[in-house]
Amino acid sequence: GEVNRRWRERLARHLVQRRRADLRVYMDADTPFPDRLTTERHYDLSPEYRAFLERVLAWCRERVYDPELDARRQRVQWWSALALLRAISSSPRAAAATLRARTVALDGSSPEEADALGRRAVLDQEEIELDGADATPGSQSEEEGDDAGRRRLLDLAREAERLEGRADRKATEVVSLVKALVAEGNQPIVFCRFLATVEYLGEVLRKGLGRDVTVECITGALHPEDRSRRIDAMASAKARVLVCTDCLSEGINLQGSFDAVVHYDLAWNPTRHEQREGRVDRFGQSRPVVKAVTYWGKDN
């Protein structure tokens, strides 16, 4: 009412918003804040990966539109399909892990509850706990309880595993991207969505970058203290690359050892990207410019 309005007007006379430009030179003191250089790079699916994606899409449509399912099971299948497609877009290893695991987190007692659980698990909503959220989702449900259904899923999982290496252009082409950043003197963090993708990409980068570059992998499977110890141990390496999930998008200071971010997997909530980039683009960063690269699939 009128009283609240008067208090708001009184408060507004004393409210001060300081931005970086205001703080860089303030009261005869220089405060170092970096500038952010953002770029984009894209990749194309290989014919083998495209064919696999089309087969999984057909299977997903078959499950979601099964006329024998009630409304609750249809919603569970819908969100499970989205989670699976996201895992396929992440890496062959995340796809295989998803195809081999049972769906547990996306279930619910009603269509509305299934939708609520699905949104939290799939759409990167901020209220979801980051620790433990990087495990791959399952795709096996009650409908795959028969031998034929399980065999079909395992066949798809084995097909996904065969895509590791040359057929996975997303992984092979990011090696040159990261190698260029390292050659320019940057120390990048590569953010992935799933634990399985971090492990896989770590292997790819170690092989592609060679012994002179230290590559470390950190996921939610590690205790927070172990994460800090591993990051501290990297500080002495002349060239270093950190591959991690969003378990490091908040909480641990990374600006002292890293100055670039690569979004290997895109989040469906853009706030998550800002959180990632904020790990290096913050007070205490010694580089005048930090880099952020959004890496996306042109045809998936």
Side-chain angles (χ1 to χ4, degrees):
E2 180 63 22
V3 173
N4 288 336
R5 184 185 64 79
R6 289 201 305 269
W7 276 107
R8 284 197 297 269
E9 290 177 351
R10 183 176 178 183
L11 177 62
R13 292 196 295 270
H14 304 281
L15 186 64
V16 177
Q17 179 186 19
R18 289 195 177 102
R19 299 163 299 172
R20 290 191 184 194
D22 303 317
L23 291 175
R24 278 183 168 140
V25 180
Y26 179 67
M27 294 184 68
D28 299 323
D30 292 334
T31 304
F33 279 109
D35 291 318
R36 190 185 311 184
L37 176 63
T38 60
T39 58
E40 293 187 6
R41 289 280 298 274
H42 70 263
Y43 60 92
D44 297 285
L45 294 177
S46 67
E48 302 97 317
Y49 217 119
R50 161 63 63 185
F52 172 68
L53 177 58
E54 292 295 341
R55 276 190 283 277
V56 175
L57 273 170
W59 176 69
C60 288
R61 293 189 185 102
E62 179 183 317
R63 296 176 72 194
V64 171
Y65 297 115
D66 185 346
E68 296 184 4
L69 297 181
D70 59 26
R72 180 187 69 86
R73 293 305 305 165
Q74 277 193 327
R75 299 312 298 164
V76 171
Q77 295 287 37
W78 166 263
W79 290 107
S80 178
L82 288 180
L84 171 59
L85 292 172
R86 192 173 191 197
I88 290 173
S89 297
S90 179
S91 71
R93 194 167 298 180
T98 298
L99 287 160
R100 291 179 182 277
R102 282 192 61 83
T103 298
V104 290
L106 302 179
D107 219 329
S109 59
S110 67
E112 293 75 21
E113 185 178 349
D115 280 339
L117 291 170
R119 281 191 292 271
R120 291 188 64 213
V122 177
L123 299 185
D124 295 330
Q125 292 186 346
E126 283 307 296
E127 63 265 29
I128 192 168
E129 209 41 58
L130 291 178
D131 284 350
D134 52 10
T136 49
S139 62
Q140 296 188 31
S141 63
E142 298 169 5
E143 284 68 41
E144 278 76 46
D146 61 305
D147 290 340
R150 283 196 296 269
R151 280 198 302 271
R152 189 172 182 186
L153 285 169
L154 291 176
D155 286 343
L156 287 171
R158 284 190 285 266
E159 186 175 350
E161 290 165 345
R162 290 193 293 270
L163 293 171
E164 292 190 9
R166 182 190 58 82
D168 183 13
R169 290 179 181 169
K170 179 183 181 184
T172 57
E173 293 179 13
V174 85
V175 173
S176 61
L177 189 163
V178 174
K179 187 178 292 186
L181 287 171
V182 172
E184 293 164 2
N186 292 112
Q187 317 287 3
I189 307 172
V190 184
F191 277 99
C192 306
R193 176 62 179 83
F194 299 111
L195 183 155
T197 300
V198 168
E199 295 174 345
Y200 164 67
L201 187 59
E203 296 170 10
V204 172
L205 288 173
R206 287 189 184 104
K207 182 179 179 180
L209 298 177
R211 295 181 180 179
D212 293 335
V213 180
T214 297
V215 177
E216 183 61 89
C217 296
I218 296 179
T219 69
L222 288 173
H223 189 276
E225 292 182 2
D226 292 330
R227 302 173 203 171
S228 297
R229 280 195 289 267
R230 290 196 183 192
I231 291 169
D232 291 342
M234 296 182 72
S236 59
K238 184 178 180 181
R240 51 191 175 270
V241 176
L242 175 60
V243 187
C244 64
T245 62
D246 284 312
C247 71
L248 290 186
S249 67
E250 57 184 37
I252 296 180
N253 290 327
L254 301 174
Q255 69 271 23
S257 299
F258 302 95
D259 51 37
V261 164
V262 177
H263 300 288
Y264 187 76
D265 288 329
L266 304 188
W268 282 2
N269 184 342
T271 303
R272 190 67 55 83
H273 286 205
E274 184 62 32
Q275 287 177 324
R276 293 171 174 179
E277 295 174 16
R279 306 320 300 154
V280 301
D281 184 12
R282 62 195 298 116
F283 176 72
Q285 173 60 252
S286 60
R287 297 281 294 234
V289 176
V290 296
K291 297 177 182 177
V293 184
T294 302
Y295 188 54
W296 53 278
K298 188 177 181 181
D299 59 349
N300 68 354

